Amino acid sequence: MWKHLAAAALLVVAADAKTLSPADAWKASLKEDNAAWASAKHAILKINDAAYVHEGETYSLIGEPSKSATWHWKKGKDAKAALTASFSGGKPVLSKDSKPLPAEALGKGIDIAPGVDVTGAVTQMSPGQSGLRIMVFDQENKAAKAFKGVDYFAYDPSYRVTASFKPDPKMTPHVFRTSRGLDKQFFHTGDAVFTLQSKTITLPLYADDKDPAKVTSMTSFFTDQLTGKGAYQAGRYVDVEPFKKFPPASVTIDFNYAYNPNCARSSFYNCPFAVDFIPLAMKAGEKDPHAH
């Protein structure tokens, strides 16, 4: 649900299930991850700056056309802005060179200068309140060029588990603190119960919609005995493999796909801190990119 390329990774697994082993499908997904971090047009490490725009706020994009690394967001209206972005009535309001743009333009990308463009989307700013997240991308960003690739533990089939699923009929809301000092609310869909390394584990799962009919994916935000000791200090996330209908009687979780929040490498995201503890050293999934 939260991985920058979670959907693509799951599609790889689903599409190749008949031809690839779980380990080979996992290897293929890592190639997709590397593209999402550094080589895709809107790769995470190509972000030059981001702004989180609350209702009633306006941000201006300032920079020098010949210097792609100079583009940044400035709060408020600026006469020199190449683009202004506001959030009003729950919708983005855009203006480029003093001319209005349709909000849909953000999904396609708005060209600003050679090698520089902007994308954005409505996002949760706090429980019950939406805002606008806008990002400016620099195709020459040094962080993307310096990227060496994701670093995962070797694939271990024992970390691919089938769990019974105990749904939460109340879909209890849970508020997570985030890396930007904001709050995000998700809904407890239920618990996955499984045995791993001879221990019975109960792992809460969450979705971003309270309507059971709209729940098509679930995620765990977890810490473990390696957190801060080889695994990312703010915890990791893992998504449940696709299921036909909610609530499923059982779910499959492959911890080899456990991934760091985008904030592990980029300060431009708003990532929930993990809170649910697995009392094991989970030697599967992504490692701490700062550990070495």
Side-chain angles (χ1 to χ4, degrees):
M1 181 169 63
W2 293 103
K3 193 175 187 180
H4 49 267
L5 218 63
L10 292 175
L11 284 173
V12 168
V13 174
D16 293 334
K18 295 181 180 179
T19 58
L20 293 180
S21 68
D24 287 338
W26 170 79
K27 290 178 182 178
S29 77
L30 298 192
K31 293 181 180 179
E32 300 281 359
D33 282 356
N34 284 327
W37 278 111
S39 63
K41 181 178 180 181
H42 294 131
I44 294 170
L45 293 176
K46 290 182 179 179
I47 300 170
N48 209 55
D49 195 19
Y52 286 74
V53 188
H54 291 264
E55 179 72 28
E57 291 183 338
T58 297
Y59 276 76
S60 298
L61 185 62
I62 308 296
E64 298 181 40
S66 61
K67 297 180 180 180
S68 60
T70 64
W71 290 96
H72 65 281
W73 295 103
K74 176 183 178 182
K75 190 173 182 179
K77 292 184 178 180
D78 191 300
K80 299 179 181 179
L83 179 74
T84 59
S86 305
F87 195 69
S88 179
K91 297 180 180 180
V93 179
L94 309 171
S95 177
K96 181 184 179 184
D97 298 326
S98 301
K99 297 179 181 179
L101 286 177
E104 295 77 16
L106 279 174
K108 300 176 182 178
I110 301 170
D111 291 332
I112 301 298
V116 177
D117 75 329
V118 169
T119 68
V122 176
T123 188
Q124 183 182 168
M125 305 290 276
S126 61
Q129 294 188 354
S130 296
L132 176 63
R133 183 184 70 190
I134 42 177
M135 296 178 165
V136 56
F137 292 82
D138 172 15
Q139 296 303 312
E140 299 301 317
N141 196 305
K142 293 180 180 180
K145 292 181 178 296
F147 181 64
K148 302 299 183 183
V150 293
D151 188 12
Y152 275 64
F153 289 97
Y155 190 89
D156 184 340
S158 70
Y159 282 100
R160 187 174 191 269
V161 302
T162 298
S164 61
F165 181 67
K166 297 182 178 180
D168 178 354
K170 296 181 179 180
M171 297 287 282
T172 308
H174 186 102
V175 176
F176 291 78
R177 197 65 173 167
T178 73
S179 56
R180 298 184 73 90
L182 302 173
D183 291 319
K184 277 194 171 184
Q185 180 174 268
F186 302 103
F187 301 95
H188 177 229
T189 54
D191 296 329
V193 182
F194 56 93
T195 300
L196 184 60
Q197 298 176 21
S198 300
K199 286 190 177 182
T200 300
I201 308 296
T202 299
L203 186 64
L205 300 176
Y206 303 90
D208 56 5
D209 200 301
K210 191 174 184 179
D211 183 353
K214 296 180 180 178
V215 175
T216 58
S217 64
M218 296 184 286
T219 295
S220 164
F221 308 87
F222 74 92
T223 61
D224 65 275
Q225 292 177 352
L226 291 183
T227 301
K229 302 174 183 178
Y232 185 53
Q233 62 182 358
R236 293 179 286 173
Y237 308 162
V238 67
D239 300 323
V240 169
E241 290 190 10
F243 49 89
K244 292 182 178 180
K245 186 179 180 180
F246 183 84
S250 64
V251 295
T252 299
I253 307 173
D254 192 337
F255 286 97
N256 291 286
Y257 285 91
Y259 55 94
N260 296 330
N262 292 337
C263 302
R265 291 187 178 90
S266 173
S267 62
F268 300 123
Y269 282 85
N270 184 38
C271 306
F273 291 125
V275 295
D276 296 313
F277 180 66
I278 297 176
L280 296 170
M282 299 292 285
K283 295 182 180 180
E286 192 168 6
K287 298 179 180 180
D288 184 350
H290 311 291
H292 52 76

